[in-house]
Amino acid sequence: MRITTEKNDIDSVLFSEEQIRTRLEQIAEVLTEEYRDKNPIVVCILKGASFFYVDLCRKLRFPIFMDFISVSSYGASAQSSGVVRIVKDMDKNITGRHVLIVEDIIDSGLTLKYLKELFASRKPASIKTVCFLDKSDCHQCEVVADYCGFSIPNRFVVGYGLDYSDYYRNLPYIGVLKPEVYE
Ligand code: IMP
Ligand code: MG
């Protein structure tokens, strides 16, 4: 692993701050229609979804309960293992409540599938998912996000909360990481 500077390690910008802001406004409008009378629990999947979650929540024009769950897939590789460890569970009991899961990215889909099953076992009134990015060519299981920011090709991306080995989360845009950083 060779983390140097943003200028060295980022191949190209996939989505700028401006593009992200515009897309978030569109998603927030749709969610406001769907949830205005439902008083949902909006759950952030830490850490990757953190930027998306906060920016999205501030645009929602209805009452929400904010909650956070911290999960980690094993290892520091650029490949998802699908094995999810709960580092910190939610505070709120979701039984009988409408739940909106906010996730950063679907790659193989294994993480989201696992989380949806976990949430379903707690018997909420409904569960929907909003995912910022979707590598739709990479799914290894049947999983779809109810709402999606952008569909992207099979490239490893960082920034706007997304990391490689916990680095690059603070970049304000989505950038493609040069393969030599993780190969
Ligand atoms: P999945 O289980 O293969 O769908 O992987 C989902 C998780 O892997 C996400 O929540 C991310 O933490 C991580 N991940 C997958 N692709 C990327 C990427 O391109 N950049 C950063 N993290 C990624
Ligand atoms: Mg991650």
Side-chain angles (χ1 to χ4, degrees), residues 163-181:
D163 72 305
Y164 172 62
S165 202
D166 269 317
Y167 284 94
Y168 308 108
R169 290 193 200 276
N170 58 320
L171 301 181
Y173 54 82
I174 292 289
V176 177
L177 192 61
K178 287 184 182 167
E180 57 259 39
V181 178

Side-chain angles (χ1 to χ4, degrees), residues 11-71:
D11 192 50
S12 57
V13 174
L14 205 52
F15 302 110
S16 66
E17 287 187 76
E18 177 65 34
Q19 287 172 300
I20 293 172
R21 193 169 33 244
T22 304
R23 185 69 187 114
L24 254 61
E25 274 157 19
Q26 296 166 343
I27 297 173
E29 242 177 74
V30 176
L31 290 174
T32 299
E33 272 308 302
E34 166 78 26
Y35 284 103
R36 73 167 85 246
D37 302 316
K38 291 188 173 156
N39 206 13
I41 300 176
V42 184
V43 188
C44 175
I45 312 297
L46 293 170
K47 305 174 205 167
S50 52
F51 286 53
F52 176 46
Y53 178 79
V54 170
D55 283 352
L56 185 66
C57 284
R58 76 171 110 215
K59 293 180 195 298
L60 299 178
R61 292 290 165 261
F62 53 89
I64 61 171
F65 185 96
M66 296 172 76
D67 208 343
F68 300 82
I69 185 168
S70 180
V71 301

Side-chain angles (χ1 to χ4, degrees), residues 46-107:
L46 293 170
K47 305 174 205 167
S50 52
F51 286 53
F52 176 46
Y53 178 79
V54 170
D55 283 352
L56 185 66
C57 284
R58 76 171 110 215
K59 293 180 195 298
L60 299 178
R61 292 290 165 261
F62 53 89
I64 61 171
F65 185 96
M66 296 172 76
D67 208 343
F68 300 82
I69 185 168
S70 180
V71 301
S72 132
S73 33
Y74 288 99
S77 96
Q79 204 72 43
S80 160
S81 65
V83 184
V84 179
R85 184 168 59 95
I86 295 182
V87 179
K88 179 219 164 283
D89 206 339
M90 298 173 56
D91 297 333
K92 191 80 172 168
N93 179 1
I94 64 170
T95 305
R97 298 289 303 269
H98 294 284
V99 174
L100 179 64
I101 302 176
V102 182
E103 177 54 315
D104 56 355
I105 185 167
I106 306 180
D107 183 359

